[in-house]
Amino acid sequence: MSASASQLDATFAALADPTRRALLARLEHKDNQSVSTLAQPFAMSLPAVMKHLDILDDAGLIRRAKVGRTVTCTLVAKPMEDAMAWLARYERFWTQQFDRLAAYLDSEQDRPAAKRRRKKPAKPNRT
Amino acid sequence: MSASASQLDATFAALADPTRRALLARLEHKDNQSVSTLAQPFAMSLPAVMKHLDILDDAGLIRRAKVGRTVTCTLVAKPMEDAMAWLARYERFWTQQFDRLAAYLDSEQDRPAAKRRRKKPAKPNRT
DNA sequence: TCAACACTTAACTATATGGTTAAGTTTTGA
DNA sequence: TCAAAACTTAACCATATAGTTAAGTGTTGA
């Protein structure tokens, strides 16, 4: 169930803007809000917010449904889960960086890392 | 220990390109590689790869060190951890969506036969 | 009916990305 | 010493973002 590369592209690109992250955060706090309600707190024009919603929609992070003249947006978190799954690969790496620093400080010989030759501080390595 | 908004901007933007994700993946597989070694498998010019490395560097995802005429790149996973922390807020949301699906499937057929029924992520957040 | 509401589209501007080729710079080794 | 290796910088191009204002499309309710 891994996401395609272009799907990850769209997801990360969508998340790279503070306005869009704020929009998602608003939906996370309260789902099913109209476009104008979502746009209200932002210091920019409605068309500008619309473009952000378009990008979120294209990335599959929200879904829009029109009822009468109002359009309500709902959060679709699945692509974020895929993004998180991609990032999870590096979890072992950042937890090990403490160890690597310790190993480096301990022995002046800097081998190409990746393998600690020192005792671990007994950190349970969960997935 | 949360990242600033502009730091998240840079991190997500850096991750939004498949070439850059591949560069990070190469470093994850083997750290401390030179620029030309990293660039070698990509079907683009060296300056193009350089620009990607600049963006990764600006986002703090890699660090470069010059020794003689070669520049070696090392992975810095910390900003990814911050990005993951931001995404984690939505974890409850997508698990809710699974639950909603599971509830729907349960109501469809009167059995608790939903395969992916996960009630909680149950990930003990070690500190 | 018809004006106000809730978007939507269009046209435009400025800047950033993602790539190119060509021409530097600094180090190294024969 | 001097050419080649390993980057780096510069100049350019096409496209995408991120915003603007202005005008257009449906829908609703008084």
Side-chain angles (χ1 to χ4, degrees):
Chain A
M1 268 247 243
S2 63
S4 71
S6 60
Q7 176 58 61
L8 277 179
D9 290 2
T11 302
F12 282 126
L15 293 173
D17 183 276
T19 300
R20 290 194 290 267
R21 287 199 306 276
L23 285 167
L24 293 174
R26 277 168 70 71
L27 286 174
E28 190 259 352
H29 175 256
K30 184 178 186 307
D31 205 12
N32 274 294
Q33 295 191 70
S34 73
V35 168
S36 48
T37 304
L38 282 170
Q40 184 265 321
F42 296 101
M44 66 180 68
S45 64
L46 188 60
V49 175
M50 284 285 301
K51 287 192 184 180
H52 286 300
L53 292 175
D54 287 344
I55 289 170
L56 290 172
D57 200 343
D58 290 347
L61 289 167
I62 64 168
R63 207 180 308 110
R64 282 181 287 193
K66 189 167 194 169
V67 176
R69 63 183 164 180
T70 70
V71 173
T72 57
C73 301
T74 63
L75 187 62
V76 180
K78 173 68 168 51
M80 292 200 238
E81 185 178 18
D82 295 333
M84 202 158 159
W86 189 90
L87 283 170
R89 174 207 292 221
Y90 297 88
E91 196 165 18
R92 72 154 181 90
F93 209 95
W94 67 64
T95 56
Q96 281 181 5
Q97 282 187 336
F98 288 113
D99 296 344
R100 196 175 317 127
L101 178 62
Y104 173 74
L105 293 177
D106 195 64
S107 68
E108 312 235 326
Q109 186 176 13
D110 61 327
R111 299 164 63 99
K115 252 156 204 153
R116 298 173 308 280
R117 334 185 287 94
R118 257 202 124 268
K119 54 182 173 151
K120 289 174 68 175
K123 247 179 203 177
N125 197 4
R126 293 186 82 335
T127 325
Chain B
M1 273 257 255
S2 65
S4 71
S6 60
Q7 176 57 61
L8 276 179
D9 290 1
T11 303
F12 282 127
L15 293 174
D17 183 276
T19 301
R20 289 194 290 268
R21 287 200 305 277
L23 285 168
L24 293 174
R26 277 167 71 71
L27 286 174
E28 190 260 351
H29 175 254
K30 182 178 185 309
D31 205 12
N32 274 292
Q33 296 192 70
S34 72
V35 168
S36 49
T37 305
L38 282 170
Q40 184 265 322
F42 296 101
M44 66 181 69
S45 65
L46 188 60
V49 175
M50 284 285 301
K51 287 192 184 182
H52 286 301
L53 292 176
D54 287 345
I55 290 170
L56 291 172
D57 201 342
D58 290 347
L61 288 166
I62 64 170
R63 206 180 310 109
R64 282 182 287 193
K66 189 166 193 167
V67 176
R69 64 183 165 183
T70 71
V71 173
T72 56
C73 302
T74 63
L75 187 62
V76 181
K78 173 66 168 52
M80 291 199 240
E81 185 178 17
D82 295 333
M84 203 158 158
W86 189 90
L87 283 170
R89 173 207 290 222
Y90 297 88
E91 197 165 18
R92 73 154 179 91
F93 208 94
W94 66 65
T95 57
Q96 266 180 18
Q97 290 184 337
F98 272 115
D99 288 352
R100 214 172 303 139
L101 176 63
Y104 172 75
L105 292 176
D106 281 357
S107 68
E108 279 282 295
Q109 47 180 212
D110 204 11
R111 284 181 177 210
K115 279 177 75 178
R116 297 258 324 197
R117 182 74 179 269
R118 49 167 161 164
K119 307 203 76 133
K120 279 187 77 174
K123 208 180 214 177
N125 205 359
R126 66 175 183 284
T127 32

